[in-house]
Amino acid sequence: MRRAAHQILDDPKVFEHSLALRILGPEDQAELRRNLGDYEAPRLRPLRAFLAARSRYAEDALSEAYARGVRQYLVLGAGLDTFAYRSERSSLRVFEVDHPATQAWKRERLAAAGIAIPPFLTFAPIDFEREKLPAALERAAFDATAPAYISWLGVTIYLTRTAVMETIAFVAARPVGTEMVFDFSTPAAAQSALAARVAAADEPWVTFFEPGDLARELTEMGFRRVDVLGPREINARYFAQRSDSLSVGPVGHLMHLVV
Ligand SMILES: C[S@@+](CC[C@H](N)C(=O)[O-])C[C@H]1O[C@@H](n2cnc3c(N)ncnc32)[C@H](O)[C@@H]1O
């Protein structure tokens, strides 16, 4: 809903495409248009900005990885991500790795919106808390011997620290040239009103990282590149010189790892 609101409310757009609206279907689109004012509340605009920026960052890095020859894209915790349905790169295999319940819900939405599932997309169901990623990927015929580009957006905050670090260790063990982009929040996020709302909705935020500590830990794991983008860098890169003052808040961070 927030990525769709970004398409309607923000100009220029940081992340632009029409499927963000279409995948909602007519009812949710109508609800969004009825309640657009709510999305402009000062405490919610930074979240919309962050959601737009993290998708833009991940897809820009994907384009660079593709130019370097990477031909597998793992979308971990895909949710309503629409990359696969917009992609014109038929030689890029895309794997949407997500909870089976979310995937079933998404497939209903895709069907209702008349959005076709492209031949290069594979759905790989997993519960990150109960199952190991390699098993889920093996079932999906992912090529573990070739490098992959991996995005993991809006997920780490919902998982235990153990589950997060296990997935990162899996990435560290991939072939050279593998890359991952993910987002995380600092402990200050736990104090926000949104944290209380998601907890009340039974999807509590549980894992936070201090950027410096996390970067050190990942460097020690052996990644060739560990780039952290904090709010200041995100605002400078994507939200400078806007007349509408749209910008991200202080808690969300982006991480780019290269094996
Ligand atoms: C906030 S959504 C983010 C979706 C998408 N990446 C985006 O940027 O819009 C969180 C996603 O994490 C997935 N997720 C959360 N906990 C999970 C778990 N234990 N196993 C598998 N997926 C999980 C949800 O199914 C959902 O798709």
Side-chain angles (χ1 to χ4, degrees), residues 50 53-55 57-59 61-62 73-77 128 149-161 163-169 171-172 179-186 207-211 213-219 221 223 225-230 234 251-258:
F50 186 71
R54 78 180 183 198
S55 290
Y57 184 70
E59 290 197 12
L62 166 66
Y73 177 20
L74 295 181
V75 193
L76 301 186
F128 285 118
Y149 176 81
I150 302 162
S151 73
W152 202 21
L153 305 180
V155 187
T156 60
I157 201 164
Y158 296 103
L159 303 181
T160 56
R161 191 186 160 86
V164 171
M165 295 318 288
E166 270 181 19
T167 294
I168 295 175
V171 174
E179 302 186 32
M180 172 152 87
V181 162
F182 69 93
D183 65 314
F184 64 96
S185 289
T186 55
T207 293
F208 308 95
F209 294 98
E210 289 292 356
D213 294 347
L214 181 61
R216 259 189 304 281
E217 193 171 341
L218 299 183
T219 304
M221 281 170 81
F223 285 101
R225 214 173 111 189
V226 177
D227 287 346
V228 183
L229 230 68
I234 297 171
V251 295
H253 288 63
L254 296 166
M255 177 73 83
H256 186 177
L257 302 174
V258 179

Side-chain angles (χ1 to χ4, degrees), residues 117-128:
I117 295 170
F120 49 79
L121 170 63
T122 304
F123 289 97
I126 188 174
D127 180 342
F128 285 118

Side-chain angles (χ1 to χ4, degrees), residues 15-46:
F15 185 65
E16 179 162 17
H17 69 81
S18 58
L19 282 191
L21 270 161
R22 257 185 73 197
I23 198 168
L24 295 182
E27 274 175 31
D28 281 336
Q29 270 190 50
E31 189 193 319
L32 173 65
R33 288 183 194 278
R34 256 195 321 275
N35 301 322
L36 268 181
D38 297 350
Y39 288 81
E40 282 293 61
R43 70 185 170 82
L44 292 177
R45 292 179 88 221

